[in-house]
């Protein structure tokens, strides 16, 4: 499982990207695959302890400046060790609801390959998230250019949202 997760993180740059900042401006730092091995927290617990352990795992707060946007826990339930629960938490900066399908597919492929004693035999992805961000930056332009699409869109939303409170207290 650890090797399969490593394969998936190596395949998807977004899962091995951290966001440190320089002078208050964050930037993408894509870690080399060899340095971005996800940690798998493994724990044996009782059925009664499972819900709290899952809750604790999914409530993890990421430090995106230093920490990969993926967290993994494997819980073995009971003494028989034949029931396991895998919890994958992906920060929304690296994944969304749609991306869970390809993630599950790639993890399943990698896990089957590793169980068979080999690395997954997949083709490299044709596009990574960083490619998309570069394209988007080219399309939108720079925020210092008054004629850029980014400046126009930011101006529209600043105007549309002007006068609204910065924060709305909602019941939780």
């Amino acid at each position: 499982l650890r090797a399969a997760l490593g394969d998936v993180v190596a395949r998807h740059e977004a899962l091995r990207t951290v966001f440190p900042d320089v002078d208050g401006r964050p930037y993408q730092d894509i870690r080399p695959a060899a340095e971005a091995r996800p940690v798998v927290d493994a724990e044996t617990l009782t059925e009664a302890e499972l819900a709290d352990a899952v809750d604790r795992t999914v409530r993890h707060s990421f430090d995106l400046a230093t920490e990969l946007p993926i967290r993994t826990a494997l819980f073995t339930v009971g003494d028989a060790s034949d029931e396991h629960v895998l919890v994958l938490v992906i920060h929304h900066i690296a994944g969304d609801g749609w991306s869970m399908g390809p993630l599950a597919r790639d993890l399943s492929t990698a896990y089957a390959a590793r169980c068979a004693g080999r690395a997954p035999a997949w083709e490299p992805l044709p596009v990574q998230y960083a490619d998309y961000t570069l394209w988007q930056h080219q399309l939108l332009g720079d925020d210092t250019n008054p004629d850029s699409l980014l400046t126009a869109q930011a101006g529209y939303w600043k105007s549309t949202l002007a006068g609204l409170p910065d924060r709305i207290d909602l019941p939780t």
Side-chain angles (χ1 to χ4, degrees), residues 11 15 20 28-29 32 60 97 102 105 114 129 133 144 158-159 165:
R11 181 170 169 79
L15 296 177
Q28 290 177 290
D29 180 12
H60 174 75
R105 180 196 66 230
R114 291 300 179 172
Y129 186 73
T133 60
T144 61
K158 286 179 183 176
S159 165

Side-chain angles (χ1 to χ4, degrees), residues 11-172:
R11 181 170 169 79
H12 297 276
E13 289 179 351
L15 296 177
R16 53 188 166 91
T17 300
V18 295
F19 299 86
D21 71 73
V22 172
D23 298 327
R25 293 191 65 133
Y27 66 95
Q28 290 177 290
D29 180 12
I30 301 169
R31 300 287 166 90
E35 296 174 17
R37 306 303 275 177
V39 174
V40 179
D41 295 328
E43 187 177 348
T44 300
L45 37 79
T46 66
E47 184 79 34
E49 297 169 317
L50 180 61
D52 286 340
V54 169
D55 187 59
R56 181 180 66 244
T57 302
V58 300
R59 291 182 180 278
H60 174 75
S61 294
F62 290 92
D63 177 1
L64 294 175
T66 60
E67 185 179 1
L68 297 179
I70 180 171
R71 182 166 176 84
T72 309
L74 179 65
F75 301 113
T76 303
V77 182
D79 295 330
S81 300
D82 61 349
E83 182 180 342
H84 299 83
V85 174
L86 175 66
V87 180
L88 289 175
V89 181
I90 310 293
H91 190 282
H92 64 89
I93 203 167
D96 58 13
W98 181 90
S99 60
M100 294 304 104
L103 174 70
R105 180 196 66 230
D106 284 356
L107 182 56
S108 178
T109 298
Y111 185 72
R114 291 300 179 172
C115 286
R118 58 180 170 72
W122 46 39
E123 294 293 318
L125 295 173
V127 177
Q128 293 282 349
Y129 186 73
D131 300 319
Y132 169 75
T133 60
L134 290 172
W135 167 79
Q136 191 175 44
H137 184 72
Q138 290 171 346
L139 174 71
L140 295 176
D142 193 283
D143 62 352
T144 61
N145 178 353
D147 298 324
S148 73
L149 181 57
L150 178 62
T151 300
Q153 288 184 359
Y156 168 80
W157 285 109
K158 286 179 183 176
S159 165
T160 299
L161 300 174
L164 293 177
D166 289 337
R167 179 178 168 181
I168 300 173
D169 290 322
L170 298 173
T172 56

